[in-house]
Amino acid sequence: MFSLLTKDDIKNLFPSPSSGIVFLLYMAMFVAHGLLVTSSRDGSSQYKYNPTCVVLMTETIKLFISTAVYLYQNSFTSLLNDIKKNTRILVMYLVPSSLYCIYNNVSFISLVHFNPTTYFMFMQIRLLLTGLIYQILFKRQLSQTQWFSLALLTIGCMVHATGKGTTSGSTSDLEDSWWHLAVGVGLILTQVLCSVFAGVYNEYIIKGEGADVDIMIQNVFMYVDSILCNVVLLAAKGEILETFTGDAVSSLFQTIVIVLMINNAVLGIITSLFLKKLNSIVKAFASALELVFTALLSVPVLGIPLTYQTVIAILIISLSVIIYAKNPVKINESQTKESLKQNP
């Protein structure tokens, strides 16, 4: 696919070598997330650990990493001063952190209803919505070619779902199957709305209000707020004591769970760098490419066979990526900052 792109296409898509590295790391770790979550069920429909506890511990690891990176480059006094000086941004991060909290917790339930490839297929409903919200927040009109590539991307991601209907079995089995599908799609729609708005709004903060604030300080704000949101969620579900029982905590020390938490923690840091160096539209295409690699890796890792719908979808997605790469969104940082400051 990338062999069909010229050097100028790739340079326009990735302004610097570091942005290309961040792009690849983001895709790799997101694909690993889907595979690890599915593998952690060990063939069962239930998790042998508390997903909310895993999310909370992952956010704590993210906070530790962000703080450690900042302190490696700055003093502890500087950390306290930056936090005190930017309390407004700390409050603003409550919006994306609360939405990501919902997204992260619902993802564990969604992956019970779908295998990783199908899960990522349905999640691509967010692509067109990302373009719409991006235009509103950044006051940047996408070209017809860019909208066409997004639409083509969405079609490609939906193709796989056409082969998932149940064609045999009793009426009761059919009803259960369609109910199972309806619940799963409902959960994914919730994730889509949370993911799209949180992602674009996060970029809005990074490149607007927080343009002059160290990205690691912004990560600290995000993860402090996220931990708070997860604790509130646990309290609302009445699971605070249950989450921190001896069995619940000991279940986190399974090798695959530790790898899952570390992967997701690093993924969180990479995502912030992605939004800093690239944008939400490129992030949408990265998400679609995750689908391709998840489908391919699910064959040897999880034993999930490729269907002809998946192969067709991969071809359509590849075409959409090539079209977009030849006409990507280009935004000058100073112009972006000025535009965002003019937003009410």
Side-chain angles (χ1 to χ4, degrees), residues 45-193:
S45 62
Q46 301 294 322
Y47 296 101
K48 296 180 181 179
Y49 53 86
N50 186 316
T52 306
C53 189
V54 168
V55 171
L56 186 57
M57 289 302 298
T58 300
E59 297 305 303
T60 303
I61 296 171
K62 291 177 185 177
L63 177 59
F64 175 80
I65 294 174
S66 299
T67 304
V69 171
Y70 181 85
L71 290 176
Y72 178 76
Q73 300 171 328
N74 305 274
S75 67
F76 184 73
T77 302
S78 177
L79 172 66
L80 296 179
N81 288 337
D82 277 346
I83 292 174
K84 183 178 179 180
K85 184 171 62 176
N86 297 291
T87 51
R88 172 178 165 78
I89 296 177
L90 173 63
V91 174
M92 290 180 70
Y93 267 108
L94 278 172
V95 175
S97 62
S98 60
L99 293 173
Y100 278 133
C101 173
I102 296 171
Y103 173 89
N104 288 332
N105 283 279
V106 172
S107 69
F108 284 93
I109 306 173
S110 296
L111 282 165
V112 170
H113 290 266
F114 300 109
N115 64 51
T117 301
T118 308
Y119 168 77
F120 279 125
M121 285 285 183
F122 278 116
M123 280 298 294
Q124 303 318 313
I125 300 169
R126 62 189 169 181
L127 298 174
L128 293 176
L129 192 55
T130 296
L132 179 62
I133 295 178
Y134 189 87
Q135 284 195 156
I136 294 171
L137 283 181
F138 285 88
K139 297 181 178 179
R140 172 83 179 193
Q141 291 296 314
L142 300 183
S143 69
Q144 290 184 348
T145 302
Q146 290 163 351
W147 272 116
F148 175 71
S149 63
L150 277 173
L152 190 63
L153 193 66
T154 304
I155 292 170
C157 291
M158 293 293 101
V159 166
H160 179 70
T162 60
K164 291 298 178 180
T166 303
T167 57
S168 62
S170 66
T171 301
S172 175
D173 289 337
L174 285 170
E175 289 175 352
D176 288 344
S177 176
W178 284 111
W179 172 248
H180 183 81
L181 178 63
V183 171
V185 170
L187 290 169
I188 285 183
L189 285 175
T190 300
Q191 281 189 263
V192 165
L193 292 173

Side-chain angles (χ1 to χ4, degrees), residues 117 121 152-163 291-292 295-296 306-320:
T117 301
M121 285 285 183
L152 190 63
L153 193 66
T154 304
I155 292 170
C157 291
M158 293 293 101
V159 166
H160 179 70
T162 60
L291 168 67
V292 172
L296 295 175
L306 281 177
T307 64
Y308 74 88
Q309 290 95 346
T310 300
V311 174
I312 293 173
I314 288 173
L315 294 175
I316 296 174
I317 290 169
S318 299
L319 177 61
S320 70

Side-chain angles (χ1 to χ4, degrees), residues 211-268:
D212 299 321
V213 180
D214 189 290
I215 189 64
M216 289 303 157
I217 285 291
Q218 296 193 57
N219 283 337
V220 168
F221 290 162
M222 168 69 90
Y223 303 135
V224 166
D225 286 346
S226 185
I227 290 170
L228 174 63
C229 291
N230 276 281
V231 170
V232 170
L233 178 63
L234 285 172
K237 294 164 63 178
E239 296 180 358
I240 289 184
L241 295 179
E242 176 186 332
T243 300
F244 296 103
T245 61
D247 289 341
V249 174
S250 62
S251 69
L252 300 180
F253 291 95
Q254 302 174 60
T255 301
I256 193 165
V257 177
I258 293 173
V259 174
L260 174 62
M261 290 190 294
I262 293 174
N263 179 81
N264 289 358
V266 177
L267 174 59

